[in-house]
């Protein structure tokens, strides 16, 4: 890929690397069985047996403005909603299918209401679109790796008709990029086996995307995953390799770069419990403390966090999710300067937590207390001023008698006398803003 492609990618993703924190929303018919969004595949449910959920779908409490306010209060800057997941159900009024929310009892274009509500709250909007479609008659079924009817010979499909599915898929992407105003993210999911790259007619698809909404950023899942082909990790990524990598349910141990070691934009997508779609029995929620620390970890490695909620069949985000988001938002209201617009500090990870950096501001995220003064390894003489970010109060820079043996290091402490040990004002994460010389 030409050098300009990477320059264009850098330009397109500027806002993304500033915003750092987004909401992922997985919602659809699968909220009724409430066993996660893969329920059709896992339980090999036929379309006929899944139809009951289409017939019943009536999210009377769907209030996208409330969702948007919760995301904004959580400190999230953008949101991505599933417009169509693997089950093929469309949350938008597509002219290319009857399998859509406007034909259910809901009678609403859920995507349109989502983009309007989140824009009204000042958030950027993205749409997730599944390349996989377990409803479409021309999508591979019998013998496929994951299709609900993969073991049912009656669903042997004629491969020559896959092009008809691609026409449908490209047509729907065109609808989303034409009929819903300015979108900020197109989030495709996912390539597997031979279904990758040009098997999706990805060049043609990306040409269309770039012509309809040139500013939009696209994830990397049109391409083969990992090191294959022209993935975003290669020195010469393909035209459809996307603008950001999308590690899932993991935070890359040391950030993400291409094979030349150049940082690439990335966003870790992570569930609040262990399911993307609503799962009523899944109460394994991450604490707000964990979310705060993992957001810091992503930013400390030049990445974003896309944190998922799975609204229930009535259209409501689960209360456990809302409570976690509210607490994260409280922390961000006091400490957001150490997240937004920040990135890697190019310093070794300290024992007590992590660093993030923006220009001459270095943020020390103290996850655990120190005995005596807090050690800033190798930073002797580099720190001009230190303040507790949450309240602006003075933090003391000195090397008291119990630290004199470390001349290359700087030390700070939260109070005086400075050789004492002090509890952290916020044991989830206390942020000290260091101004560098
Ligand atoms: C995986 C799952 C899919 C989910 C996606 C989110 O691809 O199959 O259900 O939407 O992860 O990244």
């Amino acid at each position: 890929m030409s050098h300009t492609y990477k320059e264009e990618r850098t330009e397109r993703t500027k806002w993304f690397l500033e915003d750092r924190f987004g909401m992922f929303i997985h919602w659809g018919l699968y909220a009724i069985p409430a066993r996660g969004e893969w329920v059709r595949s896992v339980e090999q449910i036929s379309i006929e047996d899944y139809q009951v959920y289409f017939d019943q779908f009536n999210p009377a409490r769907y209030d996208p403005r409330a969702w948007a306010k919760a995301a904004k209060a959580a400190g999230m800057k953008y949101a991505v909603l599933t417009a169509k997941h693997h089950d093929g159900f469309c949350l938008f009024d597509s002219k290319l299918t009857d399998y859509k929310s406007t034909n259910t009892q809901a009678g609403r274009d859920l995507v349109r209401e989502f983009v309007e509500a989140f824009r009204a709250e000042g958030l950027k909007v993205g749409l997730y679109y599944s390349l996989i479609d377990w409803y479409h008659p021309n999508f591979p079924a019998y013998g496929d790796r994951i299709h609900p009817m993969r073991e049912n010979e009656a669903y042997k499909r004629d491969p020559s008709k896959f092009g008809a599915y691609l026409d449908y898929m490209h047509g729907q992407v065109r609808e989303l990029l034409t009929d819903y105003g300015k979108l900020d993210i197109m989030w495709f999911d996912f390539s597997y086996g031979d279904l990758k790259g040009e098997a999706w007619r990805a060049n043609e698809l990306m040409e269309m995307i770039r012509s309809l909404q040139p500013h939009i950023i696209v994830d990397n899942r049109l391409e083969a995953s990992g090191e294959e082909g022209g993935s975003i990790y290669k020195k010469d990524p393909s035209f459809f390799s996307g603008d950001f990598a999308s590690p899932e349910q993991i935070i890359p141990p040391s950030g993400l770069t291409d094979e030349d070691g150049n940082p690439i934009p990335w966003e870790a997508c992570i569930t609040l419990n262990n399911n993307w779609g609503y799962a009523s029995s899944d109460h394994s929620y991450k604490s707000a403390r964990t979310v705060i620390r993992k957001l810091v970890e992503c930013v400390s490695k030049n990445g974003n966090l896309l944190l998922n909620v799975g609204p229930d069949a009535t259209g409501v985000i689960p209360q456990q999710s809302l409570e976690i988001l509210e607490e994260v938002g409280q922390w961000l209201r006091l400490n957001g300067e150490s997240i937004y617009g920040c990135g890697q500090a190019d310093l070794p990870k300290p024992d007590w937590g992590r660093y993030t950096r923006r220009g001459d501001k270095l943020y020390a995220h103290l996850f655990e207390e120190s005995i005596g003064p807090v050690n800033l390894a190798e930073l002797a003489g580099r720190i001009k001023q230190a303040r507790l970010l949450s309240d602006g109060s003075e933090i003391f820079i000195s090397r008291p008698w119990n630290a004199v043996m470390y001349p290359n290091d700087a030390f700070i402490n939260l109070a005086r006398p400075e050789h004492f040990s002090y509890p952290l004002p916020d044991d989830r994460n206390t942020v000290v803003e260091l101004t560098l010389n």
Side-chain angles (χ1 to χ4, degrees):
M1 182 48 57
S2 68
H3 185 62
T4 53
Y5 178 82
K6 289 184 183 176
E7 285 170 342
E8 288 163 5
R9 184 176 78 191
T10 301
E11 187 53 35
R12 276 196 295 268
T13 54
K14 269 203 173 70
W15 69 265
F16 188 63
L17 302 187
E18 284 285 324
D19 285 1
R20 289 300 185 207
F21 189 31
M23 177 182 272
F24 213 172
I25 307 169
H26 278 71
W27 193 39
L29 301 182
Y30 44 75
I32 298 176
R35 304 192 289 276
E37 73 294 347
W38 270 66
V39 64
R40 263 210 71 199
S41 174
V42 170
E43 299 179 17
Q44 300 195 29
I45 300 172
S46 68
I47 286 178
E48 294 72 20
D49 291 343
Y50 196 71
Q51 183 62 25
V52 61
Y53 306 130
F54 181 92
D55 297 339
Q56 288 173 354
F57 188 66
N58 186 14
R61 298 187 194 131
Y62 174 50
D63 178 0
R65 201 66 185 264
W67 291 8
K69 289 179 187 301
K72 184 176 184 179
M76 294 164 155
K77 300 297 183 184
Y78 62 96
V80 180
L81 170 70
T82 51
K84 182 196 86 168
H85 205 267
H86 309 335
D87 64 0
F89 176 68
C90 299
L91 281 72
F92 64 104
D93 187 18
S94 170
K95 301 296 176 282
L96 303 178
T97 181
D98 293 332
Y99 202 52
K100 57 187 178 179
S101 59
T102 42
N103 284 355
T104 66
Q105 291 181 58
R108 296 158 74 174
D109 186 323
L110 305 171
V111 163
R112 184 172 306 287
E113 293 186 43
F114 159 78
V115 295
E116 289 172 355
F118 277 71
R119 284 187 194 121
E121 288 297 326
L123 277 79
K124 289 187 171 61
V125 292
L127 293 176
Y128 164 113
Y129 183 85
S130 174
L131 300 164
I132 298 163
D133 194 311
W134 298 330
Y135 185 82
H136 198 280
N138 298 123
F139 196 88
Y142 176 70
D144 178 70
R145 188 187 301 181
I146 54 177
H147 193 287
M149 297 296 106
R150 56 192 176 273
E151 295 176 6
N152 185 334
E153 246 188 285
Y155 287 82
K156 199 177 179 72
R157 297 253 163 100
D158 174 357
S160 70
K161 293 188 176 170
F162 185 59
Y165 169 68
L166 294 179
D167 293 341
Y168 171 82
M169 184 262 277
H170 284 228
Q172 287 204 318
V173 173
R174 179 179 292 278
E175 287 183 306
L176 292 171
L177 293 172
T178 305
D179 303 336
Y180 292 87
K182 178 178 181 290
L183 300 179
D184 300 290
I185 302 173
M186 200 68 214
W187 217 103
F188 289 110
D189 187 39
F190 61 92
S191 293
Y192 64 101
D194 294 334
L195 290 177
K196 61 190 177 195
E198 272 307 279
W200 302 119
R201 296 197 324 238
N203 263 303
E204 177 193 329
L205 184 65
M206 194 59 97
E207 290 282 1
M208 173 182 63
I209 293 168
R210 296 280 179 234
S211 67
L212 289 172
Q213 302 223 17
H215 63 281
I216 203 167
I217 61 174
V218 184
D219 72 326
N220 67 323
R221 296 188 177 193
L222 277 170
E223 251 292 358
S225 55
E227 306 305 306
E228 298 167 55
S231 89
I232 195 170
Y233 301 106
K234 308 296 275 186
K235 69 168 71 219
D236 194 14
S238 70
F239 176 62
F240 46 81
S241 56
D243 298 300
F244 61 93
S246 56
E248 176 180 321
Q249 301 287 42
I250 191 168
I251 296 176
S254 48
L256 289 176
T257 65
D258 65 18
E259 57 190 345
D260 288 340
N262 303 309
I264 55 175
W266 61 269
E267 171 195 73
C269 55
I270 292 175
T271 52
L272 262 176
N273 51 13
N274 282 306
N275 279 272
W276 300 101
Y278 182 62
S280 52
S281 63
D282 180 354
H283 300 291
S284 304
Y285 283 89
K286 299 163 183 70
S287 65
R289 172 198 187 101
T290 295
V291 171
I292 289 164
R293 293 186 175 192
K294 295 309 168 186
L295 174 60
V296 169
E297 180 174 353
C298 287
V299 176
S300 76
K301 296 173 179 177
N302 277 332
N304 286 28
L305 174 61
L306 186 66
L307 188 63
N308 184 77
V309 296
D312 65 23
T314 73
V316 170
I317 294 172
Q319 189 56 30
Q320 299 99 317
S321 298
L322 291 174
E323 288 166 8
I324 295 162
L325 293 179
E326 172 53 34
E327 185 177 341
V328 172
Q330 286 166 2
W331 182 86
L332 275 168
R333 274 190 287 282
L334 297 177
N335 298 285
E337 286 173 67
S338 68
I339 296 294
Y340 305 123
C342 293
Q344 196 160 344
D346 294 326
L347 291 167
K349 181 190 175 305
D351 287 344
W352 37 257
R354 293 189 179 276
Y355 286 117
T356 58
R357 178 172 180 176
R358 183 185 59 249
D360 70 342
K361 297 299 183 191
L362 178 65
Y363 297 97
H365 297 262
L366 308 181
F367 293 171
E368 65 177 72
E369 294 174 7
S370 296
I371 298 301
V374 178
N375 174 247
L376 306 179
E378 303 298 319
L379 292 182
R382 296 275 312 275
I383 313 293
K384 184 161 59 180
Q385 172 184 295
R387 292 287 182 273
L388 187 65
L389 184 58
S390 60
D391 68 4
S393 61
E394 182 176 18
I395 296 294
F396 302 102
I397 306 168
S398 69
R399 187 180 299 109
W401 62 267
N402 48 355
V404 291
M405 57 291 247
Y406 308 107
N408 298 329
D409 298 353
F411 290 85
I412 55 174
N413 215 333
L414 300 167
R416 284 181 167 153
E418 294 153 28
H419 62 278
F420 272 22
S421 304
Y422 299 99
L424 294 178
D426 184 338
D427 67 358
R428 298 167 304 181
N429 174 9
T430 291
V431 185
V432 177
E433 178 196 76
L434 304 166
T435 303
L436 298 172
N437 284 326

